Each structure stands twice: as structure tokens, then as C-alpha cells.
């Protein structure tokens, strides 16, 4: 081999090594950025969960201060669903105009401040108005942070939505423990919520620089643009029809799922109080439900990758139904805590699966699809306290919780139909 040829071979090998090392460095940096983005979004989910976690255990104290019976309390709690229902359509508009990052930060800030408002209410209707503001901020944040989650998941190429929702559950557990502790120590609700608002605002500021930017995002509706040929127009029409059918089924599924997730958190402490639990221990039902959801979501991505989202949905829904079968006959607050824990484990994969499927539907922008699904969920959150409060006032909390059995079975049935009829239009991871 001549010197010239040897030098050429050396340069070629050196160039190959350089490219390989550069690619490795690029991948390492990209992975670090992806991890940082995912951690920031998970922290935003934590903030959202912490607000609602702190709220649940203090409902009995607020209801007691205002002397509200179950039916009137249900009417006031419907304010959260009403606010969410009115605000959800604005989420898609805000995301389209300002991006999911800005919308997430703005709604997280409003939600953190709004937690103080229910503590200042003096009547059932002012409580309802306060909860309308809280529900509106929560609804916009719900869509925006899930849009962030879908964006991070799509760019990272791996399933992470269950872990992001585990961040929500971690916030709910932490908030529930703080709320239960504050209730046990008889901390004034105003002071409790003011401290919570300060801490959550600080956490929101921490995430500001690390959320996923929207610039250069290619929406799902940019896929499959047909030209003028009749065959491609018919193919596009079939795709739109399939997408609409999938979105309708996801809407029905999330409507029932909202009952499954909202009722235990809003009424668990009151159910335990009715069984004779003191204010602090009564809040442990909410903590148990949220803790089990957290554990389920931590392992959820691995389980989904192994058996599929539809099977996980069906199994979780059946677990919810079984958990509340004995609710009318339970007399021990300890048994109630176990019952709510089983239900939380079953509920863990439902919302991550629905939002993940909706965010990946072809032919529709992720923000729009997520807003539609969230809007239907807000209808469920609005209906749930009205129906449950009226039912509990007539037959008691135990028998009213039998509605969870029906809700669990309905989720299982809808998930089975979704799998059979529309799985071709949904992401399978």
C-alpha cells in the first residue's frame, strides 16, 4: 500500500470515527433534552394533581362551615364541571394562537391561585362560583399539558404518557396527604390553601424554561393531504370517517371515565366520614385512591407496551367495578381505604390511554382532538356531583357508590367496542 493510499484510508477511518462520535454526542444531548422536557411536563402534571389533591380532603370542612347537605353540596361542586365545560373550547383556540407551552404556563398559574377561592366562599352559590374558576383553569391546563405530553412523546419516540400522568397522581397523593394532615390539625382552610398556592406557583416558575417548544410542530392534520383525484378524495373521506368514529367512541369512553376518576376524589372523604372516620383519617380514602393511581401509572407504560392499551383499559375497568361491589355493606373506614385503593389501581391507565389515543388520531390536530375529549370529560364532571349528590341524599353514600360498578362495566364495554371497531385508526403503543 502506497503512502498516499494509506493516508487516504487513515483519513477515511478518522472521518468515520469522528462522525460516529459526533452522532453519539448528538444522541446523548438529544436524550438529555428529551428527559429534561419530560421531567418539566411531569412537574406540571404534579402541580395540577396537587391542587385537586389538597381540595378533596377539605371538602367536609368547607361543607360543615357552610352547613351544606349532600344535595346542596353536589350543586356547588357542579360549579367545577360547569367552569370546565365553558372553558375547554377555549383551550384549542389558545393552543392554536399561543402554543401549548404558553397555554400550559398561563393556566397553571391561574389554577395555583384559584385554589384559594373556595376557602373564601360564604354561601353554597359563592362556593359554586369559586369552583367554576377553579374548573375553568383546570380544564384549559388539562388540554394544554396533555398536548405537551403528546408532543414530548412523539418527539422522543417512546411511550411516556402513563409516567406523565403518574406525575399528576404523585401531586394528588402529596396534596391529599397535606390536605388530610391539615384537616387532622384543624388548620384553617384559608391558610392551608394560601400556602399551597405559593408553593405551586414556585414550581410552575421552575418549569417555564424547560417545557417543550411548539415551534416547528407538525400537527396530525398535516398528514395525508389528498390531491384532486377521486380515489384519493374517497380514501381521505374514509379516513375522516374512521377518525370521527374513533373520536366519538373515545368521547363516550372519557365521559364515563370522568365519573370513575372524579367521584372517588370528591366524595371519598365524605363516605369515610359517614362511616365514622375522623376528619384526618377520612381524607385517607382520597390518598389511597391517588396513591394506587400513582403506582399503576408508574408501571403503566411497560404494561401497555406488553398487552396493549385496550386490554389494560378493560382490566382496569373491571377492577373498579369489583372494588365497589360491597360499598353498601362496608362499615369500617379501613375497609373503605382498601376499596378506594383497588379502584385507584383500576382507574390508573384510563385517562393516559384516552388522551394518548386522541392525540395520535390521523387527520385532526392534536390540540383539537384533546379539546374535544376533554370537553366531554367536563360534561361528565358536571353531571357526576349533581347525580351522585342527589342519589346519596336519598339512599346514602354506600348505595350511591354502586354507580361506580355500572361506570366500571361501561368503561370495559366501551373499550371492547373501541378495540373491535376502530383499532385501525388509533395508535397501538
Amino acid at each position: 500500500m502506497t503512502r498516499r493510499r494509506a493516508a487516504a484510508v487513515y483519513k477515511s477511518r478518522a472521518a468515520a470515527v469522528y462522525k460516529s462520535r459526533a452522532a453519539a454526542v448528538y444522541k446523548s444531548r438529544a436524550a438529555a433534552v428529551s428527559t429534561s422536557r419530560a421531567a418539566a411536563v411531569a412537574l406540571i402534571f404534579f402541580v395540577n394533581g396537587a391542587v385537586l389533591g389538597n381540595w378533596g380532603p377539605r371538602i367536609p370542612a368547607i361543607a360543615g362551615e357552610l352547613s351544606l347537605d349532600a344535595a346542596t353540596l353536589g350543586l356547588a361542586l357542579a360549579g367545577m364541571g360547569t367552569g370546565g365545560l365553558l372553558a375547554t373550547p377555549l383551550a384549542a383556540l389558545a393552543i392554536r394562537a399561543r402554543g401549548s407551552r404558553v397555554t400550559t404556563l398561563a393556566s397553571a398559574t391561574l389554577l395555583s391561585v384559584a385554589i384559594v377561592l373556595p376557602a373564601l366562599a360564604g354561601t353554597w352559590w359563592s362556593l359554586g362560583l369559586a369552583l367554576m374558576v377553579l374548573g375553568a383553569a383546570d380544564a384549559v391546563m388539562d388540554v394544554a399539558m396533555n398536548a405537551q405530553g403528546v408532543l414530548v412523546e412523539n418527539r422522543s419516540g417512546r411511550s411516556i404518557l402513563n409516567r406523565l400522568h403518574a406525575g399528576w397522581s404523585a401531586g394528588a397523593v402529596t396534596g391529599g396527604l397535606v390536605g388530610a394532615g391539615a384537616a387532622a390539625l384543624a388548620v384553617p382552610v384559608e391558610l392551608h390553601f394560601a400556602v399551597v398556592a405559593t408553593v405551586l406557583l414556585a414550581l410552575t416558575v421552575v418549569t417555564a424554561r424547560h417545557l417543550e417548544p411548539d415551534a416547528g410542530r407538525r400537527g396530525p392534520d398535516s398528514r395525508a393531504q389528498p390531491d384532486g383525484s377521486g380515489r384519493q378524495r374517497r380514501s381521505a373521506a374514509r379516513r375522516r370517517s374512521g377518525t370521527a368514529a374513533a373520536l366519538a367512541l373515545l368521547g363516550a369512553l372519557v365521559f364515563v371515565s370522568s365519573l370513575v376518576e372524579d367521584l372517588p376524589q370528591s366524595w371519598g372523604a365524605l363516605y369515610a366520614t359517614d362511616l365514622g372516620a375522623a376528619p384526618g383519617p377520612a381524607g385517607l380514602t382520597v390518598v389511597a385512591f391517588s396513591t394506587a393511581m400513582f403506582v399503576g401509572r408508574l408501571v403503566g407504560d411497560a404494561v401497555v407496551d406488553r398487552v396493549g392499551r385496550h386490554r389494560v383499559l378493560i382490566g382496569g375497568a373491571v377492577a373498579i367495578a369489583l372494588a365497589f361491589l360491597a360499598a353498601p355493606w362496608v362499615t369500617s373506614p379501613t375497609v373503605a381505604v382498601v376499596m378506594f385503593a383497588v379502584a385507584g389501581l383500576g382507574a390508573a391507565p384510563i385517562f393516559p390511554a384516552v388522551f394518548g389515543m386522541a392525540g395520535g388520531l390521523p387527520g385532526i390536530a392534536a390540540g383539537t382532538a384533546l379539546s374535544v375529549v376533554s370537553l366531554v370529560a367536563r360534561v361528565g364532571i358536571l353531571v357526576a356531583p349533581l347525580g351522585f349528590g342527589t342519589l346519596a341524599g336519598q339512599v346514602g353514600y354506600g348505595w350511591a357508590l354502586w354507580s361506580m360498578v355500572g361506570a366500571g362495566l361501561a368503561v370495559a364495554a366501551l373499550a371492547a367496542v373501541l378495540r373491535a371497531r376502530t383499532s385501525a385508526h388509533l395508535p397501538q403503543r
Side-chain angles (χ1 to χ4, degrees):
M1 182 181 294
T2 64
R3 291 182 179 179
R4 183 175 297 177
R5 182 176 296 178
V9 170
Y10 175 79
K11 288 182 179 179
S12 175
R13 290 177 178 174
V17 170
Y18 175 79
K19 288 181 180 179
S20 175
R21 289 178 178 176
V25 170
Y26 175 80
K27 289 181 180 179
S28 175
R29 290 177 178 174
V33 170
S34 176
T35 301
S36 174
R37 304 289 192 207
V41 178
L43 187 57
I44 281 292
F45 273 80
F46 177 93
V47 169
N48 186 275
V51 169
L52 301 181
N54 274 280
W55 159 245
R58 302 314 305 264
I59 292 176
I62 293 175
E65 289 178 6
L66 300 180
S67 302
L68 304 180
D69 59 25
T72 306
L73 178 60
L75 195 61
L77 291 177
M80 183 172 287
T82 303
L85 191 63
L86 295 174
T88 297
L90 301 177
L93 298 176
I95 291 171
R96 189 174 303 163
R98 305 295 297 173
S100 62
R101 180 179 179 274
V102 172
T103 306
T104 297
L105 290 172
S107 56
T109 300
L110 177 58
L111 184 71
S112 298
V113 174
I115 183 63
V116 179
L117 299 180
L120 305 178
T123 60
W124 72 267
W125 57 266
S126 61
L127 176 61
L129 289 175
L131 291 176
M132 282 185 66
V133 177
L134 194 69
D138 175 55
V140 175
M141 185 178 176
D142 191 30
V143 176
M145 70 185 186
N146 274 286
Q148 276 279 299
V150 170
L151 200 58
V152 173
E153 183 174 86
N154 289 341
R155 289 180 177 176
S156 67
R158 54 196 176 93
S159 179
I160 63 168
L161 277 177
N162 271 285
R163 277 168 283 177
L164 294 180
H165 281 260
W168 186 94
S169 296
V173 171
T174 304
L177 288 171
V178 171
L185 296 173
V187 176
V189 180
E190 297 90 339
L191 176 61
H192 169 204
F193 284 176
V195 173
V196 168
T198 303
V199 173
L200 296 184
L201 280 172
L203 292 179
T204 300
V205 171
V206 169
T207 67
R209 294 178 54 194
H210 303 286
L211 292 179
E212 187 73 26
D214 295 84
R217 178 168 58 102
R218 185 185 182 195
D221 52 350
S222 64
R223 293 177 250 167
Q225 295 294 331
D227 65 13
S229 71
R231 177 178 296 179
Q232 289 188 332
R233 284 198 302 270
R234 288 191 296 271
S235 176
R238 285 195 295 270
R239 282 193 294 270
R240 286 194 296 270
S241 176
T243 297
L247 192 57
L249 279 169
L250 285 171
L253 178 59
V254 81
F255 175 81
V256 183
S257 301
S258 63
L259 310 182
V260 167
E261 191 160 318
D262 179 72
L263 290 179
Q265 295 182 88
S266 295
W267 298 91
L270 289 164
Y271 172 63
T273 300
D274 192 56
L275 295 178
L284 294 179
T285 52
V286 180
V287 174
F289 182 81
S290 299
T291 301
M293 285 186 69
F294 172 66
V295 173
R297 286 171 174 174
L298 276 182
V299 301
D301 288 317
V303 177
V304 165
D305 288 340
R306 176 168 295 186
V307 304
R309 275 176 170 151
H310 297 94
R311 290 180 180 175
V312 171
L313 277 174
I314 294 170
V318 170
I320 292 166
L322 293 175
F324 289 102
L325 269 178
W329 301 282
V330 170
T331 57
S332 167
T334 303
V335 175
V337 169
V338 175
M339 183 170 67
F340 276 74
V342 174
L345 196 62
I350 294 178
F351 268 79
V354 172
F355 278 105
M357 291 174 183
L361 283 175
I364 183 171
T368 302
L370 291 172
S371 292
V372 171
V373 169
S374 183
L375 180 64
V376 177
R378 298 294 157 175
V379 175
I381 294 173
L382 173 62
V383 170
L386 291 171
F388 190 90
T390 301
L391 189 61
Q394 294 177 350
V395 300
Y397 290 110
W399 284 104
L401 279 174
W402 252 38
S403 60
M404 292 290 289
V405 177
L409 295 177
V411 170
L414 286 167
V417 173
L418 192 64
R419 180 187 182 193
R421 296 188 180 181
T422 63
S423 59
H425 306 287
L426 297 174
Q428 295 302 304
R429 71 162 174 258

